[in-house]
Amino acid sequence: MFSPFPYDKISDNKCFFGRDKELKELEKTVKYSNNILIHSKRRMGKSSLISNFIEKHFKDYLCIYVDIFDMTSKEDFAYSLLKALSNSQESDLKAAIKTLTSLFKRVRVEPTIDPTTLKYSIKPVIATLSFEQMMEDFFNSLNELAKTKQIVLAIDEFQQVATIKDIKLDAYLRTFIQNRKNISYIFLGSKRHLLTSLFEYKAPLYELANHFELQALKVADIYDYSKKYLKVSKENINYIYEKANGETKLIQNLLHLLYVYKVQNITEENIDELLNEIISSKEASFRIIYDSLNNNQKIALKIVGKYKSGFFVSEVLSEYNIKKQTLQSSINSLFAKEFIDKDADKYFIPDRSLELWIERI
Ligand SMILES: Nc1ncnc2c1ncn2[C@@H]1O[C@H](COP(=O)(O)OP(=O)(O)OP(=O)(O)O)[C@@H](O)[C@H]1O
Ligand SMILES: [Mg+2]
């Protein structure tokens, strides 16, 4: 059934709203073949933004989108790039395979059927190739294509690059990124420390991309969009926004439920009820996350959930029966694992529904 409020998949252009300024910023970047790093807290809408940009501009540029969330090796990375390039061609399958065969020196390509979508796509065959050979084929082809068309290469979840240990992938990429013509790189990601560490002073990618932090959607834009489908007041939207702490996904999830339940008279009470429903539905997976922590980390997470800041004081320490140093080191390890994050002097849990669940236990 159609819902105008997608919350668990990338929103297509019919259900996408409130990002005009950001789309303009991207257009400006791409027009001059500059690079950009788009980061934000989790689930603000980075992937949806780039996906809509590509939908809007697939005729103007050759857009290549690759999500490297699952990659576990440098070979995975090279394969993902090749696969994304292979499937970025606008032409039909036969013509695309012909183009790719003339572009690639070593990589072969063949048609395949995607088991989930049952759509045809192109699969690079790389069995005997090394990482370097794959990368060479990828970048040579990219440069060749860039001679006739401007290229946008978007790499989502880019922080994963920092997790590959047998090669310094960022340093390796630097040369290619520096010597580009007619190509814009768009890097996207959420794990802020990992991601920004790749672009910090003296890091190989330093100054190779402008930084852009994607902010929460504006209340006014959410209201303008949702009133088309719901009997909702500005105050309702304000309340939803506050409860979700601006997280796009949770806002959309609440609006989706109001829509499917056809709530006629929206009140703070029924918004609260729906929020409970969302949080309870995630109970099992939150438990698993929580149970993966040691006791002190559990306590630290509860303290962060409840107090957010100013909790290194004797009342809190004795309430939870934990020593200051133990709390500090548990906070540090939660921070390193990105279970918690910090904005100014306030800690928070990047997944808003998990944060709400933690506040309740
Ligand atoms: N501008 C928008 N208009 C409508 N819905 C949106 C918009 N931005 C995001 N959403 C919805 O919010 C949810 C989260 O968005 P998305 O996955 O794009 O965020 P993200 O920042 O890439 O998240 P993650 O940090 O998990 O990678 C999606 O279901 C998406 O449909
Ligand atoms: Mg994303």
Side-chain angles (χ1 to χ4, degrees):
M1 204 183 92
F2 169 77
S3 158
F5 305 105
Y7 64 93
D8 58 358
K9 58 172 195 272
I10 304 271
S11 56
D12 60 22
N13 64 358
K14 281 197 288 303
C15 305
F16 184 78
F17 62 89
R19 292 295 191 200
D20 295 349
K21 197 181 104 232
E22 290 80 358
L23 284 169
K24 286 219 172 69
E25 182 72 33
L26 274 177
E27 275 154 21
K28 203 171 74 196
T29 302
V30 168
K31 191 169 167 192
Y32 298 103
S33 291
N34 290 329
N35 304 328
I36 194 165
L37 164 67
I38 304 177
H39 60 97
S40 76
K41 290 182 193 166
R42 295 296 314 270
R43 301 185 185 117
M44 281 300 177
K46 300 171 295 297
S47 302
S48 298
L49 176 66
I50 189 65
S51 152
N52 274 269
F53 177 84
I54 292 175
E55 221 175 306
K56 208 169 150 203
H57 291 288
F58 76 96
K59 287 217 162 75
D60 310 326
Y61 313 111
L62 175 67
C63 298
I64 306 170
Y65 171 83
V66 47
D67 181 345
I68 58 171
F69 183 71
D70 286 336
M71 90 163 170
T72 52
S73 67
K74 58 185 191 300
E75 288 77 17
D76 274 357
F77 179 69
Y79 179 76
S80 305
L81 290 176
L82 286 166
K83 188 161 174 232
L85 170 63
S86 302
N87 289 291
S88 66
Q89 302 294 311
E90 247 188 81
S91 47
D92 64 54
L93 208 64
K94 214 169 141 194
I97 289 184
K98 202 170 156 213
T99 312
L100 293 165
T101 309
S102 67
L103 275 174
F104 292 144
K105 284 207 176 62
R106 298 191 177 94
V107 177
R108 278 197 308 109
V109 286
E110 59 185 33
T112 179
I113 297 180
D114 187 316
T116 40
T117 60
L118 296 181
K119 278 192 184 147
Y120 275 105
S121 65
I122 298 176
K123 187 174 126 194
V125 183
I126 44 123
T128 57
L129 301 181
S130 68
F131 166 75
E132 284 78 12
Q133 290 173 326
M134 287 192 266
M135 292 301 270
E136 217 171 89
D137 244 8
F138 175 77
F139 280 106
N140 284 340
S141 310
L142 201 66
N143 291 332
E144 202 50 43
L145 288 165
K147 287 181 186 159
T148 53
K149 198 158 189 188
Q150 218 174 322
I151 296 184
V152 176
L153 174 56
I155 311 182
D156 207 348
E157 304 290 352
F158 188 72
Q159 72 279 345
Q160 294 304 106
V161 158
T163 65
I164 301 297
K165 298 293 176 212
D166 53 341
I167 182 178
K168 276 194 69 53
L169 210 43
D170 52 348
Y172 185 87
L173 286 174
R174 180 187 163 84
T175 344
F176 295 106
I177 296 171
Q178 244 182 345
N179 298 324
R180 73 194 190 282
K181 265 205 190 96
N182 236 9
I183 306 175
S184 261
Y185 285 84
I186 301 180
F187 307 102
L188 304 111
S190 308
K191 298 204 165 183
R192 296 200 291 173
H193 317 300
L194 261 185
L195 189 64
T196 44
S197 73
L198 286 167
F199 291 89
E200 74 194 1
Y201 182 55
K202 285 191 175 165
L205 298 177
Y206 174 63
E207 291 213 313
L208 280 184
N210 292 330
H211 293 213
F212 182 86
E213 181 167 6
L214 186 68
Q215 304 293 337
L217 286 168
K218 293 205 171 54
V219 172
D221 291 334
I222 305 169
Y223 174 61
D224 284 343
Y225 178 78
S226 45
K227 72 180 180 197
K228 288 189 232 165
Y229 302 97
L230 296 168
K231 277 192 195 150
V232 74
S233 70
K234 191 114 190 223
E235 289 68 40
N236 292 150
I237 297 295
N238 253 325
Y239 189 70
I240 290 173
Y241 184 93
E242 263 168 41
K243 285 282 165 179
N245 205 8
E247 187 193 276
T248 311
K249 183 182 161 100
L250 189 53
I251 294 171
Q252 290 281 88
N253 200 349
L254 285 165
L255 295 170
H256 167 79
L257 291 179
L258 288 169
Y259 178 80
V260 294
Y261 292 151
K262 300 187 171 57
V263 180
Q264 292 305 312
N265 180 24
I266 302 173
T267 61
E268 294 189 358
E269 288 70 40
N270 47 43
I271 293 170
D272 284 343
E273 269 170 38
L274 296 178
L275 197 56
N276 285 341
E277 183 181 323
I278 294 170
I279 293 166
S280 319
S281 73
K282 296 183 178 179
E283 168 89 26
S285 52
F286 288 162
R287 266 276 150 228
I288 294 172
I289 297 173
Y290 188 67
D291 287 341
S292 72
L293 302 175
N294 70 32
N295 253 348
N296 290 327
Q297 290 167 342
K298 284 180 182 162
I299 294 172
L301 200 60
K302 278 193 196 177
I303 293 178
V304 167
K306 184 165 174 191
Y307 292 95
K308 315 288 190 282
S309 66
F311 44 68
F312 287 104
V313 291
S314 52
E315 299 88 77
V316 178
L317 298 171
S318 61
E319 182 189 342
Y320 287 89
N321 197 17
I322 189 166
K323 290 201 182 74
K324 194 171 176 179
Q325 277 125 323
T326 317
L327 178 58
Q328 185 64 66
S329 68
S330 304
I331 293 274
N332 292 349
S333 66
L334 290 175
F335 196 74
K337 291 183 191 173
E338 312 231 7
F339 270 104
I340 59 174
D341 201 345
K342 201 176 180 186
D343 229 353
D345 64 339
K346 250 181 157 178
Y347 285 94
F348 64 93
I349 299 167
D351 179 329
R352 178 62 178 157
S353 6
L354 175 62
E355 184 168 65
L356 289 167
W357 183 76
I358 297 285
E359 281 174 18
R360 291 166 187 204
I361 57 173

